[in-house]
Every structure is written in structure tokens, then in C-alpha cells.
Amino acid sequence: MESIKVNVMQKLLKANDAVADEIRNNLKNKGIFFVNLMSSPGSGKTTLIEETVKKLGKKIKVIEGDIQTTLDAERLQKLGVQAYQINTGPFGGDCHLEAAWIKTAIGELGTEDMDLLFVENIGNLVCPAEFDVGAHLNVLLISVTEGEDKPLKYPLAFQVSQLCLITKTDLLPLKHFSLEKLRQNIQQVNPACAIIEVSAHGGVGLDRWLEILKNKPGL
Amino acid sequence: MESIKVNVMQKLLKANDAVADEIRNNLKNKGIFFVNLMSSPGSGKTTLIEETVKKLGKKIKVIEGDIQTTLDAERLQKLGVQAYQINTGPFGGDCHLEAAWIKTAIGELGTEDMDLLFVENIGNLVCPAEFDVGAHLNVLLISVTEGEDKPLKYPLAFQVSQLCLITKTDLLPLKHFSLEKLRQNIQQVNPACAIIEVSAHGGVGLDRWLEILKNKPGL
């Protein structure tokens, strides 16, 4: 039974990768920079997108992944952003987004009037990291309240990301938390990962983030 | 392909449920109360176990689930607690614990000198809720920094739990957070769920939690 499960998973992942490459190339040809945001629940993905939209204007579209509800898409639509909600379903729901769903969502959103596409992945530090969604930049958000040990415990999410945003720095100084230790642990599992400390509400660190989005690395 | 995946999952879940029932009955016959702790990464599961061990003494054993590292088991062993670490693997790792692994872990730990067994599940608000591990009490931890909307977005985890602990209340009052809204959202998805607000570091709310453990509801 276990080997059937592994075989099915390997076939699904291979099919997923092919679609992801197709998405990546298509968007690159159109000059659209595609950023995939991953994190635990409540690390600040939607707030980051909101602040980014306020600063960079309206040529941004967003694909929202959630088990249930359209709460996040509604938050973004209030800012005049085109947001497409993927709900992964009734029974617990799939714990990640797959490239085929992103392809469908892009078809629905359309690629006109867009130079930046965000995917806000399902809030989950494990499964989304296993599925390439076709982004040019994978970004991992981790808030200072989650603890310094998370890169060691959930290494794949940090390893597939080129950029790590340490969020909610306005909650520092916190008891029992070391920013230095978190930075060390991120670099231990992924020495190539860039790190920016941000507080979306306070505006700290956002300039560097916006600069990266303007530069479109890899496009 | 999708239907093969669904079929395999249904067979796996059915097999899992049978083992879970066996664990639940065996432990009940021995008078051992089994509590399954679930939450996002960094919501305070290990800290809660540490504080519980300090208050209730040593007849507690713990099964730790993590993708990688034995950090949490080491924290508990320092307190003189027998802790068994399950690491779910190298490639991203399984995102949940299954009953068969718990059965093996209980075999390794032994059931002598134990009246309370904790499983600290993988930090993940999605997948662990889909797999019954055989506990008498499922407990969901959510910290005040994660946002009030999480019960609506991840309902299954709240629906399979009989008790919800709202943690890190020492970080209240926080900007952008309503304890009342979180309570409403929990009750919306699971009206039968008991709710306790705790701050493990401050000791707030721990008395009621310890009382529940002593009463062993369902045993």
C-alpha cells in the first residue's frame, strides 16, 4: 500500500513540474514576475500583499489559496486588486496548491494589465514546499512569534525559497526569542537564502522588499 | 490519476482508523489518558507540555512528531520525561502522524509508570486533523498572534478537537487582534468545543487545563 502511494505521488509530482515550467516560461515571455508566498497560518502573507499593492499600484493580480473561505480575496478586492480564490475543498482540503490549479486561475484572471502575480499559498510550512507552482521567486515568511527553531524543523520550505521575510518584528523584543538564532538557523538549512526583517504595519524593511519586486530577479 | 489518489487515501484512512481505535481501547483499559496536541508551528505545544510536566509530575510520557530534528524530545528529556521522537522523513516529510507510528512508539515507550500520554503532532493546521491517532482528547492550540480568522480557514482541525487552547495571551493586547472574534469563529465551526485562554509563561489558565487532565474526560 505504501509503495502504491509513493508511486502515485511521484507521477503526480512529475506532472506538476511540467505544468509549473510551462507557467514560468509563459509568464516570463510576457514580462510578468510571479512570486509564490509560503508560510504557516497567520504569518502575514495577506498583509504583505496589501502593503505591496498600496506601494506599487494596481498592475498586480493575486491567486489566493485557502482550504475554505474567500476572506483573503475579499481583503484584496477592497484595494481594487483582481484576486482569484482557490478553495481546496470540503474534507480537510488539500494542504497545498498544485501547478494545474494555478494555470486555470491564470486563465481566469487573464494576463493583460499585469506585471506582477502573487500566489498566496495555503498556510502550511510543510506541503506547499513539495509542489512547484511555477513561480520565479519563492518567498518564505516566518513571524518572530513562531520560534527560532522552525528552519531546522521544516527545512524544505526554507530550502526551496530564495528569500525569507522575518515578519512581525514590531513584536520584538519578545521574551524567549532570538532574531540572531533564527537567522543562523535559516542560513544553516539554506546558506543562499536572502533574509529581510519586516514589519508590514510599521513599514520597516518594506523598501528592500519592494526593490526586489521591481528588479524581478530571474526574469 | 486523481481517482487512484482518492482511492488510495480512502483505504489508508480506513486502515488508520482501525489502528487508532485499537490504541484508544488498549490505553483506556490500562487507565492511561491519551491527549493529542495539534497546532500551527510555534503555537506553544512543547512549552505547554513542559509546564504540565512541572505541575503534574513524572507519570507522563510524550511522543514527539517532527519532520526533522529531536529538539523537542530533548527539551522534555531535560525534565526527566520519557519522550519518543518520530521523524517523518527526508523529502519534505509526511505532514501528519498516523496511528500505526503511534502504536510502534507506544511499544517502544512501554505503558508502565504512565497515566498520561501526550502526542505532540506535526506543526500543521491542515493534515494532522485528517488522521485519528487514537487519542481520548484532541486539543487544538492557537496563539493570539495567528489571527482571528483561522477557525474559518482551517475548520477541520477545530472540528475534530474537543478543546481549544488560545495561547500566548501574554502578548495581548496586540494591535489587529480580537480575542472575542476568535472565540466567535471557533464556536461557529465547532459549537461544542471548550475554550481556555492560556499563557504558559505567565501561568494564566493553566489550572483549568490541569483540572481537565486530572478528570480524564472520556476515560
CSV table of all heavy atoms in Angstrom, one decimal, chain A residues 93-129:
chain,number,residue,atom,x,y,z
A,93,GLY,N,-9.4,19.4,3.1
A,93,GLY,CA,-8.9,20.1,2.0
A,93,GLY,C,-7.5,19.8,1.7
A,93,GLY,O,-6.7,19.4,2.6
A,94,ASP,N,-7.1,20.0,0.4
A,94,ASP,CA,-5.7,19.7,0.1
A,94,ASP,C,-4.9,20.8,0.8
A,94,ASP,O,-5.3,21.9,0.9
A,94,ASP,CB,-5.5,19.8,-1.4
A,94,ASP,CG,-5.6,18.4,-2.1
A,94,ASP,OD1,-4.8,17.6,-1.6
A,94,ASP,OD2,-6.4,18.2,-3.0
A,95,CYS,N,-3.7,20.4,1.2
A,95,CYS,CA,-2.9,21.2,2.1
A,95,CYS,C,-1.9,22.0,1.3
A,95,CYS,O,-0.9,22.6,1.9
A,95,CYS,CB,-2.1,20.3,3.0
A,95,CYS,SG,-1.4,18.9,2.1
A,96,HIS,N,-2.0,22.1,0.0
A,96,HIS,CA,-1.1,22.8,-0.8
A,96,HIS,C,-1.8,23.2,-2.1
A,96,HIS,O,-2.9,22.8,-2.4
A,96,HIS,CB,0.1,21.9,-1.2
A,96,HIS,CG,-0.4,20.7,-1.9
A,96,HIS,ND1,-0.8,19.5,-1.3
A,96,HIS,CD2,-0.5,20.4,-3.2
A,96,HIS,CE1,-1.2,18.7,-2.2
A,96,HIS,NE2,-1.0,19.2,-3.4
A,97,LEU,N,-1.1,24.0,-3.0
A,97,LEU,CA,-1.6,24.3,-4.3
A,97,LEU,C,-0.8,23.6,-5.3
A,97,LEU,O,0.4,23.4,-5.1
A,97,LEU,CB,-1.5,25.8,-4.6
A,97,LEU,CG,-2.4,26.7,-3.7
A,97,LEU,CD1,-2.2,28.2,-4.0
A,97,LEU,CD2,-3.8,26.4,-3.8
A,98,GLU,N,-1.4,23.2,-6.4
A,98,GLU,CA,-0.7,22.5,-7.5
A,98,GLU,C,-0.7,23.4,-8.7
A,98,GLU,O,-1.5,24.2,-8.9
A,98,GLU,CB,-1.3,21.1,-7.8
A,98,GLU,CG,-1.2,20.2,-6.6
A,98,GLU,CD,-1.8,18.8,-6.8
A,98,GLU,OE1,-2.0,18.4,-8.0
A,98,GLU,OE2,-2.0,18.1,-5.8
A,99,ALA,N,0.3,23.1,-9.6
A,99,ALA,CA,0.5,24.0,-10.8
A,99,ALA,C,-0.7,24.0,-11.7
A,99,ALA,O,-1.0,25.0,-12.2
A,99,ALA,CB,1.8,23.5,-11.5
A,100,ALA,N,-1.4,22.8,-11.8
A,100,ALA,CA,-2.5,22.8,-12.7
A,100,ALA,C,-3.6,23.8,-12.3
A,100,ALA,O,-4.3,24.4,-13.1
A,100,ALA,CB,-3.1,21.4,-12.8
A,101,TRP,N,-3.8,23.9,-11.0
A,101,TRP,CA,-4.8,24.9,-10.5
A,101,TRP,C,-4.4,26.3,-10.7
A,101,TRP,O,-5.2,27.2,-11.0
A,101,TRP,CB,-5.0,24.7,-9.0
A,101,TRP,CG,-5.3,23.2,-8.6
A,101,TRP,CD1,-5.7,22.2,-9.4
A,101,TRP,CD2,-5.1,22.7,-7.3
A,101,TRP,NE1,-5.8,21.1,-8.7
A,101,TRP,CE2,-5.4,21.3,-7.4
A,101,TRP,CE3,-4.7,23.2,-6.0
A,101,TRP,CZ2,-5.3,20.5,-6.3
A,101,TRP,CZ3,-4.6,22.3,-5.0
A,101,TRP,CH2,-4.9,21.0,-5.1
A,102,ILE,N,-3.1,26.6,-10.6
A,102,ILE,CA,-2.6,27.9,-10.9
A,102,ILE,C,-2.8,28.3,-12.4
A,102,ILE,O,-3.1,29.4,-12.7
A,102,ILE,CB,-1.0,28.0,-10.5
A,102,ILE,CG1,-0.8,27.6,-9.1
A,102,ILE,CG2,-0.5,29.4,-10.8
A,102,ILE,CD1,-1.5,28.5,-8.1
A,103,LYS,N,-2.5,27.3,-13.2
A,103,LYS,CA,-2.7,27.5,-14.7
A,103,LYS,C,-4.1,27.9,-15.0
A,103,LYS,O,-4.4,28.9,-15.7
A,103,LYS,CB,-2.3,26.2,-15.4
A,103,LYS,CG,-2.3,26.4,-16.9
A,103,LYS,CD,-1.9,25.1,-17.6
A,103,LYS,CE,-2.2,25.2,-19.1
A,103,LYS,NZ,-1.8,23.9,-19.8
A,104,THR,N,-5.1,27.2,-14.4
A,104,THR,CA,-6.5,27.5,-14.5
A,104,THR,C,-6.8,28.9,-14.0
A,104,THR,O,-7.5,29.7,-14.7
A,104,THR,CB,-7.4,26.5,-13.8
A,104,THR,OG1,-7.1,25.2,-14.3
A,104,THR,CG2,-8.9,26.8,-13.9
A,105,ALA,N,-6.3,29.2,-12.8
A,105,ALA,CA,-6.5,30.5,-12.2
A,105,ALA,C,-6.0,31.7,-13.1
A,105,ALA,O,-6.6,32.7,-13.2
A,105,ALA,CB,-5.9,30.6,-10.8
A,106,ILE,N,-4.8,31.5,-13.7
A,106,ILE,CA,-4.2,32.5,-14.5
A,106,ILE,C,-5.1,32.7,-15.8
A,106,ILE,O,-5.3,33.8,-16.2
A,106,ILE,CB,-2.8,32.1,-14.9
A,106,ILE,CG1,-1.8,32.2,-13.7
A,106,ILE,CG2,-2.2,33.1,-16.0
A,106,ILE,CD1,-0.4,31.6,-14.0
A,107,GLY,N,-5.6,31.6,-16.3
A,107,GLY,CA,-6.5,31.7,-17.4
A,107,GLY,C,-7.8,32.5,-17.1
A,107,GLY,O,-8.2,33.3,-17.9
A,108,GLU,N,-8.3,32.3,-15.8
A,108,GLU,CA,-9.5,33.1,-15.4
A,108,GLU,C,-9.1,34.6,-15.2
A,108,GLU,O,-9.9,35.4,-15.5
A,108,GLU,CB,-10.0,32.5,-14.1
A,108,GLU,CG,-10.6,31.1,-14.2
A,108,GLU,CD,-11.9,31.1,-14.9
A,108,GLU,OE1,-12.7,32.0,-14.8
A,108,GLU,OE2,-12.2,30.1,-15.6
A,109,LEU,N,-8.0,34.8,-14.6
A,109,LEU,CA,-7.6,36.2,-14.3
A,109,LEU,C,-7.2,37.0,-15.6
A,109,LEU,O,-7.4,38.2,-15.7
A,109,LEU,CB,-6.4,36.2,-13.4
A,109,LEU,CG,-6.6,36.0,-11.9
A,109,LEU,CD1,-5.3,35.8,-11.1
A,109,LEU,CD2,-7.4,37.2,-11.3
A,110,GLY,N,-6.6,36.3,-16.5
A,110,GLY,CA,-6.1,36.9,-17.7
A,110,GLY,C,-4.7,37.6,-17.4
A,110,GLY,O,-4.4,37.9,-16.3
A,111,THR,N,-3.9,37.7,-18.5
A,111,THR,CA,-2.5,38.2,-18.3
A,111,THR,C,-2.4,39.7,-18.7
A,111,THR,O,-1.3,40.2,-18.6
A,111,THR,CB,-1.5,37.4,-19.0
A,111,THR,OG1,-1.9,37.3,-20.4
A,111,THR,CG2,-1.4,36.0,-18.4
A,112,GLU,N,-3.5,40.3,-19.2
A,112,GLU,CA,-3.4,41.7,-19.6
A,112,GLU,C,-3.3,42.6,-18.3
A,112,GLU,O,-3.8,42.2,-17.2
A,112,GLU,CB,-4.6,42.1,-20.4
A,112,GLU,CG,-5.9,42.2,-19.7
A,112,GLU,CD,-6.5,40.8,-19.3
A,112,GLU,OE1,-5.9,39.8,-19.7
A,112,GLU,OE2,-7.5,40.8,-18.6
A,113,ASP,N,-2.7,43.8,-18.5
A,113,ASP,CA,-2.6,44.7,-17.4
A,113,ASP,C,-2.0,44.1,-16.1
A,113,ASP,O,-2.5,44.4,-15.0
A,113,ASP,CB,-4.0,45.3,-17.0
A,113,ASP,CG,-4.6,46.2,-18.1
A,113,ASP,OD1,-3.8,46.9,-18.7
A,113,ASP,OD2,-5.8,46.1,-18.3
A,114,MET,N,-1.0,43.3,-16.3
A,114,MET,CA,-0.4,42.7,-15.1
A,114,MET,C,1.1,42.7,-15.3
A,114,MET,O,1.6,42.3,-16.4
A,114,MET,CB,-0.9,41.2,-14.9
A,114,MET,CG,-0.1,40.4,-13.9
A,114,MET,SD,-0.9,38.9,-13.3
A,114,MET,CE,-1.2,37.9,-14.8
A,115,ASP,N,1.9,43.1,-14.3
A,115,ASP,CA,3.3,42.9,-14.4
A,115,ASP,C,3.9,42.1,-13.2
A,115,ASP,O,5.0,41.8,-13.1
A,115,ASP,CB,4.1,44.2,-14.6
A,115,ASP,CG,3.8,45.3,-13.5
A,115,ASP,OD1,3.3,44.9,-12.5
A,115,ASP,OD2,4.2,46.4,-13.8
A,116,LEU,N,3.0,41.9,-12.2
A,116,LEU,CA,3.3,41.1,-11.0
A,116,LEU,C,2.2,40.2,-10.6
A,116,LEU,O,1.1,40.7,-10.5
A,116,LEU,CB,3.7,42.1,-9.9
A,116,LEU,CG,4.1,41.6,-8.5
A,116,LEU,CD1,5.3,40.7,-8.6
A,116,LEU,CD2,4.5,42.8,-7.6
A,117,LEU,N,2.5,38.9,-10.4
A,117,LEU,CA,1.5,38.0,-10.0
A,117,LEU,C,1.9,37.3,-8.6
A,117,LEU,O,3.0,36.8,-8.5
A,117,LEU,CB,1.3,36.8,-11.0
A,117,LEU,CG,0.4,35.7,-10.6
A,117,LEU,CD1,-1.1,36.1,-10.4
A,117,LEU,CD2,0.5,34.5,-11.6
A,118,PHE,N,1.1,37.4,-7.6
A,118,PHE,CA,1.3,36.8,-6.4
A,118,PHE,C,0.5,35.5,-6.3
A,118,PHE,O,-0.7,35.6,-6.6
A,118,PHE,CB,0.9,37.7,-5.2
A,118,PHE,CG,1.9,38.7,-4.9
A,118,PHE,CD1,1.6,40.1,-5.0
A,118,PHE,CD2,3.2,38.4,-4.4
A,118,PHE,CE1,2.5,41.1,-4.7
A,118,PHE,CE2,4.1,39.4,-4.1
A,118,PHE,CZ,3.8,40.7,-4.2
A,119,VAL,N,1.0,34.4,-5.8
A,119,VAL,CA,0.2,33.3,-5.2
A,119,VAL,C,0.4,33.4,-3.7
A,119,VAL,O,1.5,33.4,-3.2
A,119,VAL,CB,0.6,32.0,-5.8
A,119,VAL,CG1,0.2,30.8,-4.9
A,119,VAL,CG2,0.0,31.8,-7.2
A,120,GLU,N,-0.7,33.5,-3.0
A,120,GLU,CA,-0.7,33.3,-1.5
A,120,GLU,C,-1.0,31.8,-1.3
A,120,GLU,O,-2.2,31.4,-1.4
A,120,GLU,CB,-1.6,34.2,-0.8
A,120,GLU,CG,-1.6,34.0,0.7
A,120,GLU,CD,-2.4,35.0,1.5
A,120,GLU,OE1,-2.8,36.1,1.0
A,120,GLU,OE2,-2.7,34.6,2.6
A,121,ASN,N,0.0,31.0,-1.0
A,121,ASN,CA,-0.2,29.6,-0.8
A,121,ASN,C,-1.0,29.3,0.4
A,121,ASN,O,-1.2,30.1,1.3
A,121,ASN,CB,1.2,28.9,-0.8
A,121,ASN,CG,1.1,27.6,-1.6
A,121,ASN,OD1,0.3,26.7,-1.4
A,121,ASN,ND2,2.1,27.4,-2.5
A,122,ILE,N,-1.5,28.0,0.6
A,122,ILE,CA,-2.1,27.6,1.8
A,122,ILE,C,-1.2,27.8,3.0
A,122,ILE,O,0.0,27.5,2.9
A,122,ILE,CB,-2.4,26.1,1.7
A,122,ILE,CG1,-3.2,25.7,0.4
A,122,ILE,CG2,-3.2,25.6,2.9
A,122,ILE,CD1,-4.6,26.0,0.4
A,123,GLY,N,-1.7,28.3,4.1
A,123,GLY,CA,-0.9,28.5,5.3
A,123,GLY,C,-0.5,27.1,5.9
A,123,GLY,O,-1.3,26.4,6.5
A,124,ASN,N,0.8,26.8,5.6
A,124,ASN,CA,1.3,25.4,5.9
A,124,ASN,C,2.8,25.4,5.6
A,124,ASN,O,3.2,25.7,4.5
A,124,ASN,CB,0.5,24.4,5.1
A,124,ASN,CG,0.9,23.0,5.3
A,124,ASN,OD1,2.0,22.7,5.7
A,124,ASN,ND2,0.0,22.0,5.0
A,125,LEU,N,3.6,25.0,6.6
A,125,LEU,CA,5.0,25.1,6.4
A,125,LEU,C,5.6,23.8,5.9
A,125,LEU,O,6.8,23.7,5.7
A,125,LEU,CB,5.7,25.4,7.8
A,125,LEU,CG,6.9,26.3,7.9
A,125,LEU,CD1,6.8,27.5,7.0
A,125,LEU,CD2,7.2,26.7,9.3
A,126,VAL,N,4.7,22.8,5.6
A,126,VAL,CA,5.2,21.5,5.1
A,126,VAL,C,4.9,21.3,3.6
A,126,VAL,O,5.8,21.3,2.8
A,126,VAL,CB,4.6,20.4,5.9
A,126,VAL,CG1,5.2,19.0,5.6
A,126,VAL,CG2,4.8,20.6,7.4
A,127,CYS,N,3.6,21.1,3.3
A,127,CYS,CA,3.2,20.5,2.0
A,127,CYS,C,3.5,21.5,0.8
A,127,CYS,O,3.9,21.0,-0.3
A,127,CYS,CB,1.8,20.1,2.0
A,127,CYS,SG,1.4,19.2,3.5
A,128,PRO,N,3.2,22.8,0.9
A,128,PRO,CA,3.3,23.6,-0.2
A,128,PRO,C,4.8,23.6,-0.8
A,128,PRO,O,4.9,23.7,-2.0
A,128,PRO,CB,3.0,25.0,0.3
A,128,PRO,CG,2.0,24.8,1.4
A,128,PRO,CD,2.5,23.5,2.1
A,129,ALA,N,5.7,23.4,0.1
A,129,ALA,CA,7.1,23.3,-0.4
A,129,ALA,C,7.4,22.2,-1.3
A,129,ALA,O,8.4,22.2,-2.1
A,129,ALA,CB,8.1,23.2,0.8
